[in-house]
Amino acid sequence: MPSLNDLARRHTDLSDADLERLHLLLADWQLLADLAFSDLVLWLPTWNGSGYIAGAQMRPTTGATVFGDDLVGSFLPKGRRPLLDEATDLGRIVHSRTEYALAPAEAIPVRGEGGRVAAVIARHVDPAVIRTRGRLETAYVEVADQLSRMIAEGTFPMSGGLHGLDTSPRAGDGLVRLENDGTATYASPNALSAYRRLGLAADLVGSRLDVVTRQLASRRGPVDEDLAAVAGGRAARGVEVEGKGTFVQLRSIPIIAAGVRVGAVVLVRDVTDLRRRERELLTKDATIREIHHRVKNNLQTVAALLRLQARRLTVPEGRAALEEAVRRVGSIALVHELLSTTLDESLPFDQVAERVISAVTELASGGGQVHLVRSGSFGVIPADVATPLAVVLSELVQNAVEHGLDGRPGTLEVGATRVEDRLLVEVADDGVGLPEGFDPLTSDRLGLQIVRTLVEGELGGQLALTRRVAGGTSVTLNLPLT
Ligand SMILES: Nc1ncnc2c1ncn2[C@@H]1O[C@H](COP(=O)(O)OP(=O)(O)OP(=O)(O)O)[C@@H](O)[C@H]1O
Ligand SMILES: [Mg+2]
């Protein structure tokens, strides 16, 4: 479906300022449709005056729609719906006398830049709905009429009207009508229920909403003024009230007729469930962090036990094997340590790489000087990739230092680049190079087997070992990150 901006640009001469007003209107569009129990169609006059393009359409959630089809993008020639022409030309609301759902019951001009008519709203209603009005329906329709008049006068919507709210409260959430001094003249059942949950014992009608809300709100202090201004219908914005464990959002719309404030409508939404879910998510985050923390602690315990056992061994080979295991466990613990400090399921890997590299070079260099050259960046890596990658990196760096440089001074290069959604890593040394005829596939040693299993199996990437022309070994990894 084409967007309002697309349609306007192609078929009308509306300015950016006009469109801004129209978008502001569309933000409150659902509310108007619901209060009026009507389908709304926003018609944009075409630049050559030949007719209108349907720029947007909204169905009521409070009643049946009269349109089965989408109208957006369709063209209506001038003269087909005289109601629209009249509203556009006269700049005021025009009512229909016919009772036929597909013909608009009302045409409301919408003001754009400098007060000119930028669009016209056609309001369609099923005549059957109007005949069966209760108190709630009557109140809703009256408010809808007031808002429509404000649209025609250019005083609704007001910019900043949704300030302080998660989303715009809907008519179905609850509605209170106020007189100019803040006294409630009507409260819908849902609005009354929300106030009951806040702790209200008496009725809302007849009392001043700002006074009542202030008494019920448990938080006090400088917010009070703001709260009173919104609940009293004097300020056009939103505010959240908490009382007795219930969270309620209020949105007030001052009603202005011919430039004078005559009262207000306050929409009331119980957001307690929303807040509760947010709190649950927060505790879930904290739990995940705690789990990572404990995994790290457990791994450190395992490493300590292995180190203890290594010390008791007299067979050098066994001892070296256990020390290797300590290093491998340590690399995994490192990733969990970093995960336990972030909220995300991904982490900047450069820190991990740095610590893995220094853990190996410090311990295993055997007195030789290792000159480290780092290039590029690993960037942010998903947690499930980070753990195997840390182990792989640790193995490769270990090999470069242990076999390549073999205790002699030399250079260790570790580079990383992101190419689209792949990560390329190179670990290289300028040491003795791979043994003549070395085939990693038939090697019975553990290190490269672990590397291969993790890279090809777990991470779904590729691994390549090459002898460098200038001497030394280069190992490259190509890993997918999604
Ligand atoms: N950067 C390198 N330079 C020279 N030779 C290497 C290099 N990396 C690996 N090799 C050779 O490949 C062999 C296999 O390496 P691998 O990591 O699988 O085992 P290891 O290092 O000998 O033992 P482990 O890693 O299990 O402690 C090594 O023994 C070594 O001969
Ligand atoms: Mg090795």
Side-chain angles (χ1 to χ4, degrees):
M1 199 161 46
S3 74
L4 178 68
N5 284 4
D6 288 344
L7 289 168
R9 227 167 283 134
R10 211 170 314 145
H11 303 285
T12 76
D13 55 8
L14 293 176
S15 68
D16 287 349
D18 290 332
L19 280 171
E20 210 168 290
R21 291 279 314 159
L22 294 183
H23 279 291
L24 205 57
L25 175 70
L26 294 193
D28 276 323
W29 192 226
Q30 180 77 64
L31 175 67
L32 191 65
D34 288 353
L35 289 173
F37 303 92
S38 299
D39 282 271
L40 304 177
V41 183
L42 186 72
W43 292 101
L44 313 175
T46 55
W47 61 271
N48 58 6
S50 61
Y52 311 86
I53 289 286
Q57 176 182 2
M58 183 55 82
R59 296 187 173 88
T61 59
T62 46
T65 180
V66 298
F67 295 118
D69 281 335
D70 272 333
L71 296 177
V72 174
S74 59
F75 177 73
L76 184 73
K78 209 158 196 148
R80 177 85 55 84
R81 293 259 180 258
L83 214 63
L84 300 188
D85 303 339
E86 225 178 296
T88 312
D89 296 341
L90 300 178
R92 60 174 174 77
I93 297 176
V94 184
H95 300 272
S96 165
R97 276 164 301 276
T98 59
E99 280 202 356
Y100 169 53
L102 288 178
E106 194 175 67
I108 308 158
V110 183
R111 302 289 171 178
E113 193 177 10
R116 71 153 170 161
V117 176
V120 57
I121 298 173
R123 187 170 73 73
H124 298 256
V125 62
D126 192 339
V129 175
I130 311 179
R131 288 198 201 92
T132 54
R133 274 186 192 171
R135 260 165 52 75
L136 178 131
E137 288 82 0
T138 309
Y140 275 20
V141 169
E142 280 173 15
V143 172
D145 284 344
Q146 288 176 316
L147 294 180
S148 301
R149 243 169 284 144
M150 287 170 67
I151 291 174
E153 288 176 7
T155 48
F156 185 82
M158 308 159 184
S159 53
L162 297 177
H163 176 87
L165 300 171
D166 293 324
T167 53
S168 173
R170 300 276 175 84
D173 292 330
L175 177 146
V176 183
R177 295 182 74 184
L178 302 181
E179 279 173 10
N180 226 355
D181 68 347
T183 306
T185 55
Y186 172 78
S188 77
N190 280 343
L192 189 59
S193 302
Y195 268 84
R196 289 258 188 271
R197 285 192 286 273
L198 282 175
L200 178 76
D203 199 356
L204 268 181
V205 172
S207 42
R208 284 199 29 203
L209 195 67
D210 49 350
V211 177
V212 170
T213 309
R214 225 167 164 166
Q215 282 164 354
L216 297 175
S218 54
R219 257 175 296 162
R220 303 196 169 268
V223 269
D224 260 21
E225 272 320 299
D226 201 36
L227 193 144
V230 172
R234 294 186 296 280
R237 59 170 182 274
V239 79
E240 189 164 314
V241 185
E242 188 202 343
K244 290 203 180 319
T246 298
F247 294 82
V248 171
Q249 282 189 348
L250 305 180
R251 178 193 176 191
S252 104
I253 304 171
I255 301 294
I256 296 160
V260 181
R261 185 163 66 88
V262 295
V265 175
V266 176
L267 298 163
V268 180
R269 167 178 241 174
D270 188 333
V271 290
T272 310
D273 281 344
L274 201 76
R275 293 285 168 269
R276 193 174 299 143
R277 236 172 299 139
E278 278 171 2
R279 211 173 294 163
E280 279 169 9
L281 276 179
L282 273 180
T283 32
K284 204 174 141 203
D285 281 340
T287 310
I288 291 171
R289 262 187 288 184
E290 178 61 20
I291 288 172
H292 281 304
H293 183 69
R294 288 184 186 190
V295 170
K296 180 210 75 179
N297 283 350
N298 289 346
L299 288 171
Q300 283 178 343
T301 309
V302 171
L305 285 174
L306 291 174
R307 206 174 294 124
L308 210 67
Q309 272 188 305
R311 268 191 223 128
R312 300 197 167 187
L313 273 182
T314 43
V315 188
E317 247 182 56
R319 200 176 171 145
L322 283 183
E323 275 161 3
E324 289 279 272
V326 168
R327 177 177 54 77
R328 282 167 188 148
V329 172
S331 306
I332 301 173
L334 200 63
V335 173
H336 281 283
E337 186 183 344
L338 287 170
L339 278 175
S340 69
T341 61
T342 70
L343 262 184
D344 311 322
E345 285 169 16
S346 53
L347 69 167
F349 195 80
D350 287 322
Q351 298 177 46
V352 181
E354 215 145 279
R355 289 175 61 177
V356 164
I357 295 167
S358 63
V360 174
T361 48
E362 273 163 26
L363 282 176
S365 59
Q369 290 280 321
V370 178
H371 175 56
L372 174 68
V373 178
R374 288 265 286 110
S375 62
S377 168
F378 285 87
V380 173
I381 304 271
D384 53 344
V385 175
T387 310
L389 185 58
V391 174
V392 166
L393 192 66
S394 173
E395 291 304 322
L396 296 179
V397 172
Q398 176 78 20
N399 279 355
V401 171
E402 183 182 316
H403 307 299
L405 303 183
D406 195 17
R408 284 182 296 270
T411 305
L412 168 69
E413 290 170 48
V414 179
T417 347
R418 298 284 284 262
V419 178
E420 282 162 19
D421 51 2
R422 296 189 82 84
L423 172 69
L424 310 179
V425 181
E426 180 178 17
V427 177
D429 63 73
D430 58 358
V432 296
L434 290 165
E436 218 37 72
F438 176 74
D439 180 3
L441 282 179
T442 57
S443 160
D444 62 344
R445 311 299 305 241
L446 195 56
L448 286 177
Q449 274 184 46
I450 292 177
V451 169
R452 185 172 299 280
T453 308
L454 291 177
V455 168
E456 292 175 356
E458 184 126 353
L459 298 174
Q462 289 121 33
L463 165 77
L465 285 92
T466 45
R467 296 181 71 113
R468 298 168 96 192
V469 192
T473 308
S474 160
V475 184
T476 52
L477 311 175
N478 184 333
L479 308 171
L481 286 182
T482 46

